[in-house]
Amino acid sequence: MVSKILAVSIFVVMFVNIVLGKFERHIVSLVSGLAMLVIVMGICMHDLTAIWDTINLKAFVSQSFWYGESEEGFGINWATIVFIAGMTIMVEGMGHSGFFRWLCLRIAKLTKYKTIPLLLAFMLMSAFLAMFIDSITVIMFLVAATLELARVLKFDPVPMILSEIFCANLGGSATMCGDPPNIIIGTALGYSFFDFIENTGIIAFVCLLIIVPYFYFACRKALHESEKNRPNDIVYPNPTDAINNKKGFIFAVITFLIVVVLLVTHAQTGITVASIGVIGAVLTIISTIVAFDFKAVGEVFKKVDYKTLLFFVGLFVAVSGLEITGILELIAGFISDVSGGNVVVTIAIIIWISAIASAFVDNIPFAATMVPVIVSMSGTTGIPLEILAYTLALGTDIGGNATPIGASANVVGTSLALKDGKPITWGKYCKYNAPATVAVIAVSMVCLIIKFA
């Protein structure tokens, strides 16, 4: 009983500190993880085996970690961490070659720099790219390009930025590699890229058909007015100027396409996401050396977000503390009792709890906490695990759209706008994105019920 109380106390303190943001979240998670290992598993439980299993270093010498069918494991999910690290290195390499800026300016040129077509094109691009690249990265380069074009074309970038954030989170819900919660769910439960596409992907596409018209009607008046007042002597940016190294640009595109093919086919080839992450990183390093030099590789590695990787390590340890003490099993039992094992009620409970929680706290720790909960629920209620997994994915990914702090992409997008002198207040953010979030969650719930109930 003491170990349960301590585990819950440590986890609650961690969660509160992550929400308050007074300390960097990777420090909070690492300290909390260490407390779980030492105080709960070591001092209270005297269980050295639990500590070793939680650290889970044996995963690296397991064949299934690199090739074959992924196995659900206990402790730190190193497959998630290796995959995110590899993808981050690949994306930084692509950015170093000017790929993302070129893509944005090229699309702007195709739309003839007209704001309404630009809004629609950037929304669709945000959703599509977020299916393969972390939504944080997508928003970083897309918002930067939007702000640049807004200065040149003389329009208010805020509505467009809000639509891009929403579509990035929505697109990220469509695939296993699109959003961190999906990476956690997919690697922990052994689901493939196509598993997500066939389930969350179809639902995300239906929601996109609703969201694009919503933002069109919400933003068209302001954007159309700004276009009417645009000066005639504007010098439009040239997309080719964004490419700072043609050879590096070509290599970046080839590497990206190879990784996408590997992700799409990994269920058939047996190549795990951890291996794909390593392949993407290695190809990026080699191409950067060939196109630039060794110094450029150092610049790519400097831009990798190591703090997020450390955050994941501490987070997985903290969640393992709840799992090993039986807390997560109790939560699963409570939800099962409330739902009565009814599939429709269970879907409704999980998607709305996930959405509401993710609107106010980072959806990454919530998803990591809920994965073992839904595994336990599936075992006790007999509801297929895939139903619970895809419901959790959609709830956490889309629910984070409701507020400026709900997802990391939101924080990044609003921060970049503020830095450029375009502050996005809570009121303005929620005015556009909160109603859209409620509508999309409701549509997603109906789609899940139709598909699985």
Side-chain angles (χ1 to χ4, degrees), residues 11 48 59 65 92 109 116 136 149 183 232 245 266 296 305 311 317 350 359 366 383 393 407 425 438:
F11 192 82
L48 295 179
F65 185 83
E92 291 298 338
K109 187 175 182 179
I116 300 298
I136 300 170
L149 289 169
I183 297 172
N232 296 321
N245 186 299
H266 82 91
D305 190 358
F311 168 68
V317 174
I350 291 179
F366 183 82
I383 298 174
T425 62
V438 173

mmCIF file of all heavy atoms in Angstrom, residues 11 48 59 65 92 109 116 136 149 183 232 245 266 296 305 311 317 350 359 366 383 393 407 425 438:
data_model
loop_
_atom_site.group_PDB
_atom_site.id
_atom_site.type_symbol
_atom_site.label_atom_id
_atom_site.label_comp_id
_atom_site.label_asym_id
_atom_site.label_seq_id
_atom_site.Cartn_x
_atom_site.Cartn_y
_atom_site.Cartn_z
ATOM 1 N N PHE A 11 4.088 10.637 -9.212
ATOM 2 C CA PHE A 11 3.551 10.889 -10.549
ATOM 3 C C PHE A 11 2.734 12.182 -10.585
ATOM 4 O O PHE A 11 2.836 12.965 -11.537
ATOM 5 C CB PHE A 11 2.673 9.716 -11.000
ATOM 6 C CG PHE A 11 2.314 9.767 -12.456
ATOM 7 C CD1 PHE A 11 3.200 9.297 -13.422
ATOM 8 C CD2 PHE A 11 1.098 10.297 -12.875
ATOM 9 C CE1 PHE A 11 2.878 9.352 -14.765
ATOM 10 C CE2 PHE A 11 0.777 10.362 -14.218
ATOM 11 C CZ PHE A 11 1.671 9.887 -15.173
ATOM 12 N N LEU A 48 15.008 -5.437 -7.198
ATOM 13 C CA LEU A 48 16.050 -5.060 -8.155
ATOM 14 C C LEU A 48 15.701 -5.522 -9.573
ATOM 15 O O LEU A 48 16.088 -4.884 -10.553
ATOM 16 C CB LEU A 48 17.394 -5.655 -7.732
ATOM 17 C CG LEU A 48 17.970 -5.135 -6.402
ATOM 18 C CD1 LEU A 48 19.293 -5.827 -6.095
ATOM 19 C CD2 LEU A 48 18.170 -3.624 -6.464
ATOM 20 N N ALA A 59 16.549 -4.650 -24.302
ATOM 21 C CA ALA A 59 15.810 -4.487 -25.563
ATOM 22 C C ALA A 59 16.757 -4.338 -26.749
ATOM 23 O O ALA A 59 16.490 -4.833 -27.841
ATOM 24 C CB ALA A 59 14.891 -3.267 -25.477
ATOM 25 N N PHE A 65 13.733 -6.156 -31.550
ATOM 26 C CA PHE A 65 13.879 -4.703 -31.460
ATOM 27 C C PHE A 65 14.289 -4.122 -32.808
ATOM 28 O O PHE A 65 13.878 -3.019 -33.179
ATOM 29 C CB PHE A 65 14.931 -4.353 -30.403
ATOM 30 C CG PHE A 65 15.082 -2.868 -30.152
ATOM 31 C CD1 PHE A 65 14.224 -2.208 -29.287
ATOM 32 C CD2 PHE A 65 16.079 -2.132 -30.776
ATOM 33 C CE1 PHE A 65 14.362 -0.841 -29.049
ATOM 34 C CE2 PHE A 65 16.228 -0.773 -30.552
ATOM 35 C CZ PHE A 65 15.362 -0.131 -29.678
ATOM 36 N N GLU A 92 16.285 17.458 -39.483
ATOM 37 C CA GLU A 92 17.244 18.557 -39.363
ATOM 38 C C GLU A 92 18.150 18.620 -40.586
ATOM 39 O O GLU A 92 18.515 19.699 -41.052
ATOM 40 C CB GLU A 92 18.081 18.398 -38.089
ATOM 41 C CG GLU A 92 17.310 18.595 -36.789
ATOM 42 C CD GLU A 92 16.730 19.988 -36.666
ATOM 43 O OE1 GLU A 92 17.226 20.910 -37.326
ATOM 44 O OE2 GLU A 92 15.761 20.154 -35.908
ATOM 45 N N LYS A 109 4.134 30.074 -54.721
ATOM 46 C CA LYS A 109 4.233 30.512 -56.116
ATOM 47 C C LYS A 109 3.156 29.849 -56.972
ATOM 48 O O LYS A 109 2.555 30.483 -57.852
ATOM 49 C CB LYS A 109 5.624 30.202 -56.667
ATOM 50 C CG LYS A 109 5.877 30.775 -58.050
ATOM 51 C CD LYS A 109 7.320 30.540 -58.492
ATOM 52 C CE LYS A 109 7.570 31.162 -59.875
ATOM 53 N NZ LYS A 109 8.988 30.950 -60.302
ATOM 54 N N ILE A 116 -6.181 33.302 -50.094
ATOM 55 C CA ILE A 116 -7.160 32.234 -49.851
ATOM 56 C C ILE A 116 -6.646 30.885 -50.370
ATOM 57 O O ILE A 116 -6.648 29.889 -49.626
ATOM 58 C CB ILE A 116 -8.528 32.569 -50.479
ATOM 59 C CG1 ILE A 116 -9.097 33.863 -49.884
ATOM 60 C CG2 ILE A 116 -9.495 31.406 -50.261
ATOM 61 C CD1 ILE A 116 -9.349 33.803 -48.403
ATOM 62 N N ILE A 136 5.631 18.967 -34.658
ATOM 63 C CA ILE A 136 6.395 20.115 -34.150
ATOM 64 C C ILE A 136 7.287 20.673 -35.252
ATOM 65 O O ILE A 136 7.351 21.886 -35.483
ATOM 66 C CB ILE A 136 7.261 19.705 -32.935
ATOM 67 C CG1 ILE A 136 6.378 19.169 -31.810
ATOM 68 C CG2 ILE A 136 8.093 20.883 -32.440
ATOM 69 C CD1 ILE A 136 7.148 18.517 -30.685
ATOM 70 N N LEU A 149 5.945 35.222 -45.658
ATOM 71 C CA LEU A 149 5.019 35.600 -46.728
ATOM 72 C C LEU A 149 4.056 36.704 -46.271
ATOM 73 O O LEU A 149 3.679 37.566 -47.068
ATOM 74 C CB LEU A 149 4.226 34.373 -47.178
ATOM 75 C CG LEU A 149 5.026 33.318 -47.958
ATOM 76 C CD1 LEU A 149 4.228 32.038 -48.126
ATOM 77 C CD2 LEU A 149 5.432 33.860 -49.327
ATOM 78 N N ILE A 183 3.270 7.353 -31.901
ATOM 79 C CA ILE A 183 4.529 6.599 -31.879
ATOM 80 C C ILE A 183 4.587 5.735 -30.624
ATOM 81 O O ILE A 183 4.963 4.563 -30.671
ATOM 82 C CB ILE A 183 5.745 7.554 -31.927
ATOM 83 C CG1 ILE A 183 5.752 8.345 -33.238
ATOM 84 C CG2 ILE A 183 7.044 6.766 -31.795
ATOM 85 C CD1 ILE A 183 6.808 9.436 -33.290
ATOM 86 N N ASN A 232 1.158 47.189 -55.169
ATOM 87 C CA ASN A 232 1.435 46.617 -56.491
ATOM 88 C C ASN A 232 2.918 46.388 -56.754
ATOM 89 O O ASN A 232 3.278 45.711 -57.714
ATOM 90 C CB ASN A 232 0.859 47.532 -57.585
ATOM 91 C CG ASN A 232 -0.654 47.619 -57.511
ATOM 92 O OD1 ASN A 232 -1.319 46.626 -57.237
ATOM 93 N ND2 ASN A 232 -1.196 48.820 -57.732
ATOM 94 N N ASN A 245 22.149 24.276 -51.177
ATOM 95 C CA ASN A 245 23.074 23.264 -51.698
ATOM 96 C C ASN A 245 22.253 22.253 -52.488
ATOM 97 O O ASN A 245 21.498 21.470 -51.911
ATOM 98 C CB ASN A 245 23.817 22.573 -50.546
ATOM 99 C CG ASN A 245 24.890 21.608 -51.051
ATOM 100 O OD1 ASN A 245 24.602 20.643 -51.756
ATOM 101 N ND2 ASN A 245 26.135 21.868 -50.673
ATOM 102 N N HIS A 266 6.923 -1.517 -43.427
ATOM 103 C CA HIS A 266 7.652 -2.212 -42.348
ATOM 104 C C HIS A 266 6.894 -3.427 -41.800
ATOM 105 O O HIS A 266 7.508 -4.367 -41.282
ATOM 106 C CB HIS A 266 8.029 -1.235 -41.233
ATOM 107 C CG HIS A 266 6.945 -0.938 -40.252
ATOM 108 N ND1 HIS A 266 6.779 -1.653 -39.101
ATOM 109 C CD2 HIS A 266 5.988 0.013 -40.227
ATOM 110 C CE1 HIS A 266 5.771 -1.153 -38.407
ATOM 111 N NE2 HIS A 266 5.269 -0.141 -39.078
ATOM 112 N N ALA A 296 29.098 20.396 -40.986
ATOM 113 C CA ALA A 296 27.647 20.463 -41.168
ATOM 114 C C ALA A 296 26.936 19.380 -40.363
ATOM 115 O O ALA A 296 25.832 19.590 -39.855
ATOM 116 C CB ALA A 296 27.302 20.328 -42.648
ATOM 117 N N ASP A 305 16.736 17.821 -30.573
ATOM 118 C CA ASP A 305 16.131 18.151 -29.281
ATOM 119 C C ASP A 305 16.376 17.013 -28.281
ATOM 120 O O ASP A 305 15.524 16.152 -28.058
ATOM 121 C CB ASP A 305 14.627 18.380 -29.464
ATOM 122 C CG ASP A 305 13.982 18.957 -28.211
ATOM 123 O OD1 ASP A 305 14.686 19.133 -27.200
ATOM 124 O OD2 ASP A 305 12.762 19.226 -28.240
ATOM 125 N N PHE A 311 13.257 13.589 -21.730
ATOM 126 C CA PHE A 311 11.909 13.668 -21.163
ATOM 127 C C PHE A 311 11.185 12.339 -21.322
ATOM 128 O O PHE A 311 10.538 11.842 -20.391
ATOM 129 C CB PHE A 311 11.137 14.794 -21.856
ATOM 130 C CG PHE A 311 9.660 14.792 -21.575
ATOM 131 C CD1 PHE A 311 9.172 15.090 -20.315
ATOM 132 C CD2 PHE A 311 8.750 14.485 -22.579
ATOM 133 C CE1 PHE A 311 7.800 15.090 -20.059
ATOM 134 C CE2 PHE A 311 7.391 14.485 -22.340
ATOM 135 C CZ PHE A 311 6.918 14.784 -21.072
ATOM 136 N N VAL A 317 9.843 5.703 -17.266
ATOM 137 C CA VAL A 317 10.177 5.140 -15.953
ATOM 138 C C VAL A 317 9.075 5.470 -14.944
ATOM 139 O O VAL A 317 8.649 4.608 -14.162
ATOM 140 C CB VAL A 317 11.537 5.669 -15.458
ATOM 141 C CG1 VAL A 317 11.793 5.193 -14.020
ATOM 142 C CG2 VAL A 317 12.661 5.208 -16.369
ATOM 143 N N ILE A 350 -13.306 7.101 -23.239
ATOM 144 C CA ILE A 350 -11.873 7.234 -23.528
ATOM 145 C C ILE A 350 -11.592 8.435 -24.423
ATOM 146 O O ILE A 350 -10.666 9.210 -24.162
ATOM 147 C CB ILE A 350 -11.322 5.942 -24.165
ATOM 148 C CG1 ILE A 350 -11.315 4.822 -23.130
ATOM 149 C CG2 ILE A 350 -9.904 6.171 -24.703
ATOM 150 C CD1 ILE A 350 -10.817 3.498 -23.660
ATOM 151 N N ALA A 359 -6.230 18.742 -23.755
ATOM 152 C CA ALA A 359 -6.415 20.171 -24.009
ATOM 153 C C ALA A 359 -5.673 21.029 -22.992
ATOM 154 O O ALA A 359 -5.328 22.176 -23.276
ATOM 155 C CB ALA A 359 -7.903 20.519 -23.987
ATOM 156 N N PHE A 366 0.231 11.877 -21.094
ATOM 157 C CA PHE A 366 -1.094 11.261 -20.937
ATOM 158 C C PHE A 366 -1.189 9.975 -21.742
ATOM 159 O O PHE A 366 -1.680 8.951 -21.251
ATOM 160 C CB PHE A 366 -2.189 12.242 -21.382
ATOM 161 C CG PHE A 366 -3.570 11.703 -21.177
ATOM 162 C CD1 PHE A 366 -4.178 11.773 -19.934
ATOM 163 C CD2 PHE A 366 -4.262 11.084 -22.214
ATOM 164 C CE1 PHE A 366 -5.450 11.249 -19.739
ATOM 165 C CE2 PHE A 366 -5.521 10.559 -22.031
ATOM 166 C CZ PHE A 366 -6.119 10.646 -20.781
ATOM 167 N N ILE A 383 -12.942 -6.250 -24.699
ATOM 168 C CA ILE A 383 -13.009 -5.344 -25.847
ATOM 169 C C ILE A 383 -11.676 -5.404 -26.588
ATOM 170 O O ILE A 383 -10.616 -5.296 -25.958
ATOM 171 C CB ILE A 383 -13.286 -3.896 -25.395
ATOM 172 C CG1 ILE A 383 -14.643 -3.815 -24.695
ATOM 173 C CG2 ILE A 383 -13.246 -2.933 -26.585
ATOM 174 C CD1 ILE A 383 -14.940 -2.454 -24.097
ATOM 175 N N ALA A 393 -5.651 7.252 -29.398
ATOM 176 C CA ALA A 393 -4.820 8.032 -30.333
ATOM 177 C C ALA A 393 -5.562 9.269 -30.828
ATOM 178 O O ALA A 393 -5.031 10.386 -30.810
ATOM 179 C CB ALA A 393 -4.390 7.153 -31.507
ATOM 180 N N ALA A 407 -0.779 20.818 -27.053
ATOM 181 C CA ALA A 407 0.203 19.999 -27.762
ATOM 182 C C ALA A 407 1.452 20.832 -28.002
ATOM 183 O O ALA A 407 1.390 22.068 -28.047
ATOM 184 C CB ALA A 407 -0.374 19.491 -29.087
ATOM 185 N N THR A 425 -3.417 35.410 -28.429
ATOM 186 C CA THR A 425 -3.953 35.287 -27.070
ATOM 187 C C THR A 425 -4.764 34.002 -26.929
ATOM 188 O O THR A 425 -5.159 33.382 -27.924
ATOM 189 C CB THR A 425 -4.862 36.482 -26.742
ATOM 190 O OG1 THR A 425 -5.977 36.473 -27.649
ATOM 191 C CG2 THR A 425 -4.103 37.801 -26.900
ATOM 192 N N VAL A 438 -14.001 20.423 -30.719
ATOM 193 C CA VAL A 438 -15.212 19.746 -30.236
ATOM 194 C C VAL A 438 -15.916 19.035 -31.389
ATOM 195 O O VAL A 438 -16.341 17.875 -31.266
ATOM 196 C CB VAL A 438 -16.168 20.760 -29.563
ATOM 197 C CG1 VAL A 438 -17.494 20.087 -29.216
ATOM 198 C CG2 VAL A 438 -15.534 21.345 -28.309
#
